[in-house]
Amino acid sequence: MPRRSYAHYCAVARALDTVGERWTLLIVRELLAGPRRYTDLHADLPGVSTDVLASRLKELEADGLVERRRVGRAAVTHLYALTPRGRALQPVLAALATWGAAGLGEPGPTDAVRSHWSALPLLRALDRAAPGAAGTAEVRLPGGPFHLLLDPADPHYADGPADHPDAVLTLDDATAAALADGHTTLGAALHQARLTISGDTPLAKALRTAD
């Protein structure tokens, strides 16, 4: 079934024609951390139906934002990965995360939570705290680790622990949310023992001395 278009000669409308459908940007959020299998995507998008997820992935492929790769010895498993045009949506999601953090509040009783959903907000928070700092920061939250690649030219993040992190941040979900929405700072969280930063590198030292 053809997708509807706003039919507005406007860049915002054109963008929303492509990524404005429900679940589309959240699929991009998941793939910003790296290629994922369909089953992994479905597991980390609680509430999406299999039909909707399959449909959105097909649309993203058709629009050139996602590519499907065959992997494994028999090449029967597929991974979904963002194309360069898909990855170019990261600043869009980062801006949405910054804007939405103010309304996040406490998680509701039915809210799903995944640790890596804090990656984009924390990437922005660390950049604000230590502008220009570069290196790999592993973030350890109760639900599991991910790592942030701080690079003024190309900041991004990836699932799982880092091979050789320059700094390791250990904190809980509430502190991650407070850092994201600006209710606390790295310095305050360290002083209150809500956050630890380990490492003996320029990045670790820059983060420990940030306001």
Side-chain angles (χ1 to χ4, degrees):
M1 180 177 179
R3 280 181 291 171
R4 291 176 298 177
S5 170
Y6 287 102
H8 290 188
Y9 188 66
C10 160
V12 173
R14 285 288 191 270
L16 290 174
D17 284 346
T18 303
V19 298
E21 293 283 357
R22 184 171 169 82
W23 296 104
T24 297
L25 284 178
L26 296 185
I27 293 170
V28 173
R29 177 198 65 191
E30 295 303 309
L31 293 177
L32 281 170
R36 307 286 297 275
R37 295 180 303 170
Y38 178 91
T39 52
D40 296 329
L41 284 171
H42 191 257
D44 278 335
L45 289 166
V48 70
S49 71
T50 55
D51 288 346
V52 168
L53 178 56
S55 176
R56 295 293 179 269
L57 286 168
K58 286 180 181 178
E59 291 166 0
L60 287 165
E61 281 189 82
D63 291 328
L65 276 65
V66 165
E67 61 182 6
R68 187 170 47 162
R69 305 171 181 170
R70 292 191 176 192
V71 296
R73 188 168 297 176
V76 295
T77 299
H78 290 91
L79 289 178
Y80 292 90
L82 291 174
T83 64
R85 180 163 171 76
R87 291 203 65 83
L89 285 165
Q90 178 169 319
V92 176
L93 269 74
L96 284 171
T98 299
W99 185 83
L104 200 56
E106 295 292 326
T110 61
D111 281 348
V113 178
R114 299 289 188 274
S115 290
H116 67 272
W117 293 347
S118 297
L120 267 177
L122 285 179
L123 194 60
R124 292 289 292 266
L126 296 193
D127 182 62
R128 289 196 308 267
T136 301
E138 181 175 309
V139 178
R140 297 177 181 173
L141 286 165
F146 55 85
H147 54 286
L148 310 175
L149 294 99
L150 303 177
D151 179 343
D154 182 28
H156 55 286
Y157 64 95
D159 282 331
D163 290 335
H164 304 288
D166 298 294
V168 176
L169 285 70
T170 304
L171 65 166
D172 59 21
D173 293 316
T175 303
L179 287 168
D181 65 16
H183 284 165
T184 193
T185 63
L186 288 180
L190 283 166
H191 180 72
Q192 297 163 3
R194 299 172 61 187
L195 164 70
T196 63
I197 301 176
S198 58
D200 190 25
T201 65
L203 176 62
K205 292 173 183 176
L207 295 177
R208 281 198 294 268
T209 56
D211 290 335

